[in-house]
Amino acid sequence: MKKLINKAEDVVREELEGIELAHPDLVKVSYDPAYIVRADAPIKGKVGLVSGGGSGHEPMHGGFVGKGMLDAACPGAVFTSPTPDQMLEATKAVDGGAGVLHIVKNYTGDIMNFEMAADLARGEGIEVESVVVDDDVAVKDSTWTAGRRGVGLTVLMEKIVGAAAEEGRSLKECADLARKVNGQGRSMGMALTSCTVPHVGKPSFDLPEDEMEIGIGIHGEPGRTRMKVEPADKVTEMLLTPVVEDLPFKAGDEVLLFVNSMGGTPLIELYIIYRKAVHMLKEKGIKVTRHLIGPYITSLEMAGTSITLLKLDEDLTKLWDAPVKTAGMRWGI
Amino acid sequence: MKKLINKAEDVVREELEGIELAHPDLVKVSYDPAYIVRADAPIKGKVGLVSGGGSGHEPMHGGFVGKGMLDAACPGAVFTSPTPDQMLEATKAVDGGAGVLHIVKNYTGDIMNFEMAADLARGEGIEVESVVVDDDVAVKDSTWTAGRRGVGLTVLMEKIVGAAAEEGRSLKECADLARKVNGQGRSMGMALTSCTVPHVGKPSFDLPEDEMEIGIGIHGEPGRTRMKVEPADKVTEMLLTPVVEDLPFKAGDEVLLFVNSMGGTPLIELYIIYRKAVHMLKEKGIKVTRHLIGPYITSLEMAGTSITLLKLDEDLTKLWDAPVKTAGMRWGI
Amino acid sequence: MAISRDDVVTWIKNYAQVINENNEMLTDLDREIGDADHGANMNRGFKAVMTKLPASEDKDIGTVLKSVAMTLLSTVGGAGGPLYSTIFMEAGKVIGPKMEIGLADWYTALQAAATGVANRGKALPNDKTMLDALYPAVDALKRAVDENLPIPEALQVSAEAAHAGMLATIPLVAHKGRASYLGERSAGHQDPGATSTFLLLDTAAKAWADC
Amino acid sequence: MAISRDDVVTWIKNYAQVINENNEMLTDLDREIGDADHGANMNRGFKAVMTKLPASEDKDIGTVLKSVAMTLLSTVGGAGGPLYSTIFMEAGKVIGPKMEIGLADWYTALQAAATGVANRGKALPNDKTMLDALYPAVDALKRAVDENLPIPEALQVSAEAAHAGMLATIPLVAHKGRASYLGERSAGHQDPGATSTFLLLDTAAKAWADC
Ligand SMILES: Nc1ncnc2c1ncn2[C@@H]1O[C@H](COP(=O)(O)OP(=O)(O)O)[C@@H](O)[C@H]1O
Ligand SMILES: Nc1ncnc2c1ncn2[C@@H]1O[C@H](COP(=O)(O)OP(=O)(O)O)[C@@H](O)[C@H]1O
Ligand SMILES: [Mg+2]
Ligand SMILES: [Mg+2]
Ligand SMILES: [Mg+2]
Ligand SMILES: [Mg+2]
């Protein structure tokens, strides 16, 4: 394992120290329990947005705390859901009287921990709503499984709902908006290499030098199929086709196209994929009107990519364009 | 070699296609010769800023074309200096009558090609000044070598001089400012892994599983020394100490601290390094008043980091804070 | 005979040790069909338990168990955190302020724990989860209570039942938790949570062999 | 005897072929002390030359050489691009609109090329660059001209001199180009540019063996 870290058990704490030192204008950091909260929280009368999940997906979620996006993020151990006490304290710290929305990625651990936190927060008199993101079409969704995973769409949801909360929408409106985003967005990812969880010290899975894994999750969970590495254009097809067909996205749709790096895949390759994806969508009559390209929801140093499509309308587009000022996403201010 | 590309010889062209599709609001793309130019170029009365270099360092330089930064960037083949015809056409495309500044990283190839381009442009009646960046303290600077390489400081120079050009400073003022930045900034980098140039197909160097290379360049050139991998704090010391001592940076200095990923090193590790660097600087009485953290000048998928320090004053700080709107760096607009 | 408060404390301490020793094994199982952290998660939690236990180890059994539950809840995370926390919390609630318990108490406590886990995680038998080790152990204890077995023997059969349940997860296709993403590919692998649950009951059987 | 325009064209075409065959070898040399692209750069350039050559191959020698220079300038990049472009440009300028040249012309052309490379790159002898193959070849040609050697023999000795010069770069510490970053570590490796320059002169000797 080659990493620029000190002791494996100190990784998350030391990362938080770096974030605290770098962004005092944006965030405050609590260490016990661990959460990152907007420097100006709580904001009176504004719905508080809280998310969280295992660490190792940076900049998500801590890098998305700030004006126009999240009010707080709870980092778990690497790839491990955070705990209810973190979520409870974060919820209390951002409650400005208008209630708090939990954005929860659909993993058993995240669901259960956030559920317990929401119960505890309600017990303390805070109005809490939860929205679950489950956009990963690589996973079969049925009552017989834990359902689809929450992946790339989480980033877009946090931006869009963050803008809505910022402009003063109510808790119910924010929750409905988040569910609408979840209903209109789909993702799929792949990996060229595995990643290594620091405290584990060996790769989460083995991938031979000439193979790739299609339908990978963001925690090094194995994907749908393993096959020989294909050219970028072919890989783009393998990811985008199931994404388009699942919703389905249709001719005339306007979409946001998000090409994400799993961490180790450089920008030069993302643009090659973006190019092919736009060509494919154009052929289907789907118009890319907004985009996001870069490492936004990562799996440590894993090489690979994921593609997320979100169907836009006027409201979503306006909220996407609204100013945002966080460590990981910034425009308009 | 595992990459999300199609044919190795198409990598740069397909990347340009992706950039053109993604950022029509920011840039126009020319393919033959290849350059990326601001959508609104040439801007009458504004000094034009042109840089360029081998591809594979994304987002640099193409991702820094836009308001408040570069007017044009010339992408060479991966890790290979671009050619004079590209630079000449880019220079012509951005000349708004106030002259054009070439920002050139100190590599023999870049220097010679930009020299020839400047001669050709002057022959066509365009006023051209060139500034060479050579901030890499890993390399001995003497008349007996090609001198220090241009690395991380390039990004900061492009931002700062870009802001100066945007606010209407003259060619001479911009060139002097660039030289001042070069005089006040120093960098050093290291690698945990090599990278693979697409058309070469094998790693640029071999680095055993338990070793790292200190003083690496941004093209997979070997560094100063190779040694066993050390903890992040130790690595930070090995990079930052020579940087501080070279200028030298002194107690009371206000600095911009730039912790860069060579591509494959994720953000979580950069924050750990940033944290240690701030601690070290604090101990020396040096105050970090601005920062940049992320993959801004990369070597394809190489894992590793570089640290750049730039001594700030009021003018440099103001120019750093000025609005910038490019694909790779954006704030204030 | 009976299981004293000190016996309960010993069981917890021994389990922390067992988890530490089996950290890698549990993580390896989780690598096959999950995200390679179950051992690390449990070990982080039970290390914290070892630090915090002294503050409550002179209290009654219910208090001891609930304090373990709270520690696990705030240190384990993932799916394992809430579920193991639930086991100790529900058992602690049922046992309450007793200083020693008999076999029937232990059975009722474990049954409440299993119900709690089922409510929290909504898994059914044969979904390839820790419940597949827990349920058989509870059933075995029930029979042992009915048959009036001595405590050591009863614990032995419950641990054996958990062991069989654990092994029985191997051919199953997962329907809950991270392993369910794998669909058919999850078959052929032993569930990590069922494994740590067997270890929990096995540690009890060994710790309370003289009760 | 003399070197005709067609001989020059043959030389260039053969060199394109030689570069293609030695692409990997040159890149491997550059991997040791540079950035692993010298072969790829040269090959990209000479592939472009092969495409563009037909447009000028019926012109005079100076025009042919200058057109090669322009193609290399806009396709090779790196340090090699301007330097190899300079070789062909300066040689073309000196030769001018001739349809055939003698040994003295070739010597003057190569000497102008070497001076051009030195002006452009500011390297000195023994800086471990292509000049360390070029200078000895020029010197050998000078002697051959003085001694009135037949063209094939003269070219043979100049190629041999380039070869010796190339090998002599091995122990040198680089003072110019990317290899200079390595300091002492650059010693023990053969310079890639000196190698491609030897190949250039060697290809001439072989292409013009009957002149
Ligand atoms: N819904 C559920 N009900 C009961 N047990 C579950 C459920 N989901 C997961 N588990 C158990 O949790 C174990 C995984 O725990 P762990 O690896 O710590 O958490 P995570 O899956 O979040 O990484 C599984 O092996 C399984 O036994
Ligand atoms: N200043 C210089 N003068 C003469 N030749 C040089 C100089 N710098 C580099 N070279 C030659 O260029 C060769 C490297 O060319 P190449 O790999 O194509 O370019 P780059 O170094 O830009 O990658 C070196 O082996 C050396 O022979
Ligand atoms: Mg986990
Ligand atoms: Mg090069
Ligand atoms: Mg797990
Ligand atoms: Mg080279």
Side-chain angles (χ1 to χ4, degrees):
Chain A
M1 176 182 61
K2 273 184 154 180
K3 285 179 188 294
L4 289 167
I5 62 171
N6 297 300
K7 286 202 230 105
E9 59 267 35
D10 295 336
V11 164
V12 175
R13 185 180 48 74
E14 292 184 351
E15 179 199 13
L16 287 176
E17 286 172 16
I19 290 173
E20 183 178 35
L21 286 166
H23 310 295
D25 52 326
L26 297 174
V27 301
K28 289 174 293 195
V29 172
S30 160
Y31 290 91
D32 194 13
Y35 61 88
I36 298 171
V37 61
R38 261 176 82 157
D40 53 355
I43 298 158
K44 218 175 162 247
K46 185 182 112 46
V47 169
L49 237 66
V50 175
S51 192
S55 293
H57 307 302
E58 289 73 10
M60 188 182 85
H61 300 272
F64 299 147
V65 176
K67 196 170 160 58
M69 217 160 161
L70 295 179
D71 290 85
C74 305
V78 173
F79 289 180
T80 298
S81 164
T83 55
D85 55 324
Q86 297 173 257
M87 299 158 181
L88 173 64
E89 290 309 314
T91 301
K92 291 202 276 189
V94 307
D95 178 37
V100 176
L101 181 66
H102 288 176
I103 294 185
V104 186
K105 300 192 299 305
N106 189 34
Y107 299 96
T108 306
D110 293 63
I111 296 279
M112 290 193 298
N113 285 287
F114 264 108
E115 254 173 32
M116 295 174 88
D119 286 348
L120 293 168
R122 286 190 197 106
E124 303 202 13
I126 302 175
E127 206 185 342
V128 177
E129 276 249 32
S130 295
V131 174
V132 173
V133 199
D134 63 344
D135 54 317
D136 187 349
V137 304
V139 172
K140 258 210 296 258
D141 188 16
S142 92
T143 45
W144 290 101
T145 68
R148 289 198 302 230
R149 296 174 291 221
V151 288
L153 189 60
T154 317
V155 178
L156 311 185
M157 185 185 290
E158 291 177 359
K159 167 66 186 83
I160 287 169
V161 181
E166 202 71 44
E167 68 170 45
R169 296 199 195 173
S170 71
L171 180 57
K172 182 169 180 321
E173 286 168 327
C174 287
D176 287 347
L177 176 68
R179 289 190 192 101
K180 172 176 152 183
V181 168
N182 193 53
Q184 301 189 176
R186 296 291 187 274
S187 300
M188 185 147 152
M190 59 79 61
L192 284 177
T193 66
S194 180
C195 54
T196 300
V197 175
H199 55 253
V200 176
K202 44 186 173 177
S204 296
F205 54 97
D206 299 309
L207 205 48
E209 184 45 40
D210 59 343
E211 293 187 11
M212 62 180 179
E213 181 96 21
I214 299 281
I216 197 87
I218 56 170
H219 305 92
E221 311 100 326
R224 253 192 196 182
T225 41
R226 182 167 293 197
M227 52 171 66
K228 296 278 172 223
V229 175
E230 295 276 358
D233 283 3
K234 188 76 202 299
V235 170
T236 307
E237 281 171 16
M238 283 190 280
L239 298 183
L240 191 55
T241 303
V243 163
V244 169
E245 287 174 355
D246 188 276
L247 192 66
F249 293 86
K250 292 197 282 287
D253 283 353
E254 302 204 334
V255 298
L256 188 160
L257 168 59
F258 170 26
V259 176
N260 177 59
S261 164
M262 304 304 271
T265 286
L267 205 45
I268 186 169
E269 298 176 23
L270 298 187
Y271 277 113
I272 293 175
I273 294 163
Y274 181 82
R275 166 198 136 273
K276 174 65 182 176
V278 172
H279 289 159
M280 282 181 63
L281 291 169
K282 199 170 182 179
E283 251 174 42
K284 294 180 202 290
I286 299 168
K287 200 170 163 210
V288 179
T289 56
R290 292 294 181 277
H291 69 265
L292 187 67
I293 303 172
Y296 289 96
I297 169 169
T298 60
S299 298
L300 297 168
E301 71 283 354
M302 183 190 284
T305 188
S306 68
I307 296 182
T308 300
L309 272 194
L310 170 63
K311 186 159 138 50
L312 291 173
D313 57 24
E314 212 178 300
D315 189 40
L316 294 188
T317 306
K318 197 196 72 195
L319 291 166
W320 177 256
D321 289 344
V324 59
K325 185 175 176 183
T326 69
M329 205 183 279
R330 182 165 174 191
W331 55 75
I333 23 177
Chain B
M1 177 181 60
K2 275 184 153 179
K3 286 179 188 294
L4 290 167
I5 61 171
N6 296 301
K7 286 203 230 101
E9 59 267 35
D10 295 336
V11 163
V12 175
R13 185 181 47 74
E14 291 184 351
E15 179 199 13
L16 287 176
E17 287 173 16
I19 289 173
E20 184 179 32
L21 286 166
H23 310 296
D25 51 325
L26 297 174
V27 301
K28 290 174 293 196
V29 172
S30 161
Y31 289 92
D32 194 13
Y35 61 88
I36 299 171
V37 62
R38 261 175 81 156
D40 53 355
I43 299 158
K44 223 178 155 241
K46 184 181 114 43
V47 169
L49 235 65
V50 175
S51 192
S55 293
H57 307 301
E58 289 73 9
M60 188 182 83
H61 300 273
F64 299 148
V65 176
K67 195 168 160 59
M69 218 161 161
L70 295 179
D71 291 85
C74 305
V78 173
F79 289 179
T80 299
S81 164
T83 56
D85 54 324
Q86 296 173 257
M87 298 159 182
L88 173 63
E89 290 308 314
T91 301
K92 291 202 277 190
V94 307
D95 177 37
V100 176
L101 181 66
H102 287 176
I103 294 185
V104 186
K105 299 190 302 302
N106 189 35
Y107 298 97
T108 307
D110 293 65
I111 296 279
M112 291 193 297
N113 285 286
F114 265 108
E115 255 172 33
M116 295 174 89
D119 287 348
L120 293 167
R122 287 189 197 107
E124 302 202 14
I126 302 176
E127 207 186 340
V128 176
E129 276 248 34
S130 296
V131 174
V132 173
V133 199
D134 62 344
D135 55 317
D136 187 349
V137 304
V139 172
K140 257 210 296 257
D141 187 16
S142 93
T143 45
W144 290 102
T145 68
R148 288 199 300 231
R149 298 174 290 221
V151 288
L153 189 60
T154 318
V155 178
L156 311 185
M157 185 186 290
E158 291 177 358
K159 167 66 186 85
I160 287 170
V161 182
E166 202 71 46
E167 68 169 46
R169 296 200 195 174
S170 72
L171 179 57
K172 183 172 179 321
E173 286 168 327
C174 287
D176 287 346
L177 176 69
R179 288 189 193 103
K180 173 175 151 180
V181 167
N182 192 54
Q184 301 188 176
R186 296 291 186 274
S187 300
M188 184 146 153
M190 59 77 63
L192 284 177
T193 65
S194 180
C195 54
T196 301
V197 175
H199 55 253
V200 176
K202 45 184 173 179
S204 296
F205 54 97
D206 298 310
L207 205 48
E209 184 46 40
D210 59 344
E211 293 187 10
M212 61 180 181
E213 181 96 21
I214 299 280
I216 197 86
I218 56 170
H219 305 93
E221 311 101 325
R224 252 191 195 182
T225 42
R226 182 167 292 196
M227 53 170 68
K228 296 279 173 223
V229 174
E230 296 275 359
D233 283 1
K234 188 79 201 298
V235 170
T236 307
E237 281 171 17
M238 282 189 281
L239 298 183
L240 191 56
T241 302
V243 163
V244 168
E245 287 174 355
D246 189 276
L247 192 66
F249 292 87
K250 293 199 281 286
D253 283 354
E254 301 204 333
V255 297
L256 189 160
L257 168 59
F258 170 26
V259 176
N260 176 59
S261 164
M262 303 303 271
T265 286
L267 205 45
I268 187 170
E269 298 176 25
L270 298 188
Y271 276 113
I272 293 174
I273 294 162
Y274 181 81
R275 165 198 136 275
K276 174 66 182 177
V278 172
H279 288 159
M280 281 180 65
L281 291 169
K282 199 170 181 181
E283 249 175 43
K284 294 178 202 289
I286 299 167
K287 199 171 166 207
V288 179
T289 57
R290 292 293 182 276
H291 69 266
L292 187 67
I293 303 171
Y296 289 96
I297 169 170
T298 60
S299 298
L300 297 168
E301 70 283 354
M302 183 189 284
T305 188
S306 68
I307 296 182
T308 300
L309 272 195
L310 170 63
K311 185 159 137 54
L312 291 174
D313 58 22
E314 211 177 304
D315 189 40
L316 294 188
T317 305
K318 197 195 73 195
L319 291 166
W320 177 257
D321 289 344
V324 59
K325 186 176 176 181
T326 69
M329 204 182 280
R330 184 167 173 188
W331 54 75
I333 24 177
Chain C
M1 295 283 291
I3 301 159
S4 71
R5 193 267 330 277
D6 286 350
D7 292 330
V8 169
V9 169
T10 304
W11 166 55
I12 294 164
K13 288 184 175 169
N14 288 2
Y15 187 58
Q17 177 72 25
V18 165
I19 284 296
N20 196 359
E21 282 158 11
N22 288 279
N23 179 346
E24 206 167 329
M25 182 269 281
L26 292 170
T27 293
D28 282 344
L29 289 176
D30 199 28
R31 177 178 297 108
E32 298 297 332
I33 53 170
D35 59 349
D37 64 359
H38 186 58
N41 293 348
M42 293 293 283
N43 200 36
R44 185 173 54 247
F46 278 92
K47 271 192 179 166
V49 166
M50 288 302 285
T51 314
K52 301 226 174 136
L53 201 52
S56 62
E57 68 184 7
D58 57 349
K59 306 272 159 49
D60 60 80
I61 297 179
T63 303
V64 167
L65 293 176
K66 283 189 219 163
S67 102
V68 170
M70 289 313 292
T71 304
L72 294 178
L73 190 64
S74 65
T75 54
V76 178
L83 295 171
Y84 271 94
S85 176
T86 297
I87 289 183
F88 285 91
M89 182 57 77
E90 296 303 321
K93 278 196 218 160
V94 165
I95 293 171
K98 299 207 176 112
M99 292 305 286
E100 62 170 45
I101 55 174
L103 191 60
D105 296 316
W106 178 240
Y107 157 66
T108 334
L110 264 202
Q111 193 185 37
T115 308
V117 168
N119 287 340
R120 178 64 51 214
K122 317 220 163 41
L124 298 174
N126 297 324
D127 276 357
K128 196 176 183 111
T129 72
M130 49 196 287
L131 279 176
D132 294 327
L134 198 49
Y135 279 142
V138 173
D139 291 347
L141 272 180
K142 165 108 180 71
R143 282 192 304 273
V145 170
D146 290 348
E147 293 165 18
N148 235 323
L149 288 192
I151 290 181
E153 250 170 81
L155 292 172
Q156 196 51 46
V157 296
S158 87
E160 276 161 18
H163 190 257
M166 169 190 94
L167 292 178
T169 64
I170 297 179
L172 296 175
V173 171
H175 292 309
K176 282 285 176 261
R178 226 173 268 282
S180 73
Y181 304 140
L182 282 176
E184 303 290 331
R185 284 163 78 189
S186 62
H189 300 278
Q190 182 173 310
D191 181 60
T195 309
S196 54
T197 295
F198 155 68
L199 291 174
L200 184 70
L201 297 166
D202 187 52
T203 306
K206 284 174 181 151
W208 302 337
D210 300 326
C211 294
Chain D
M1 297 287 288
I3 301 159
S4 72
R5 194 268 327 280
D6 286 350
D7 292 329
V8 170
V9 169
T10 304
W11 166 54
I12 293 163
K13 289 185 174 168
N14 289 359
Y15 187 56
Q17 177 71 26
V18 166
I19 284 295
N20 196 357
E21 283 159 10
N22 289 279
N23 179 345
E24 206 167 328
M25 182 268 280
L26 292 170
T27 294
D28 281 343
L29 289 176
D30 200 27
R31 178 177 298 108
E32 299 296 331
I33 54 170
D35 59 349
D37 64 359
H38 187 59
N41 293 348
M42 293 293 283
N43 200 35
R44 184 173 55 245
F46 277 92
K47 271 192 178 165
V49 165
M50 287 303 286
T51 314
K52 302 226 173 135
L53 200 53
S56 62
E57 68 184 8
D58 58 348
K59 306 272 159 48
D60 61 81
I61 297 179
T63 304
V64 168
L65 293 176
K66 283 189 219 162
S67 102
V68 169
M70 290 312 294
T71 304
L72 294 179
L73 190 63
S74 65
T75 54
V76 178
L83 295 171
Y84 271 93
S85 176
T86 297
I87 289 182
F88 285 89
M89 183 58 77
E90 296 304 321
K93 278 196 216 158
V94 165
I95 293 171
K98 301 209 174 108
M99 293 304 286
E100 61 169 46
I101 55 173
L103 192 60
D105 295 315
W106 177 240
Y107 156 65
T108 333
L110 265 202
Q111 192 184 39
T115 308
V117 167
N119 286 340
R120 177 63 54 213
K122 317 219 162 42
L124 298 172
N126 297 323
D127 276 357
K128 196 175 184 114
T129 72
M130 50 196 287
L131 280 176
D132 294 325
L134 198 49
Y135 278 142
V138 173
D139 291 345
L141 272 181
K142 166 106 179 73
R143 283 191 304 275
V145 171
D146 291 347
E147 293 165 18
N148 236 324
L149 287 194
I151 289 181
E153 250 169 80
L155 293 172
Q156 197 49 48
V157 295
S158 86
E160 277 160 19
H163 190 258
M166 170 189 92
L167 292 179
T169 64
I170 297 179
L172 295 175
V173 171
H175 292 310
K176 281 282 176 263
R178 226 173 267 283
S180 73
Y181 304 140
L182 281 177
E184 303 290 331
R185 284 163 80 189
S186 62
H189 301 277
Q190 182 173 312
D191 181 61
T195 309
S196 55
T197 295
F198 154 68
L199 291 174
L200 183 70
L201 298 165
D202 187 54
T203 306
K206 285 175 181 151
W208 301 338
D210 299 326
C211 294

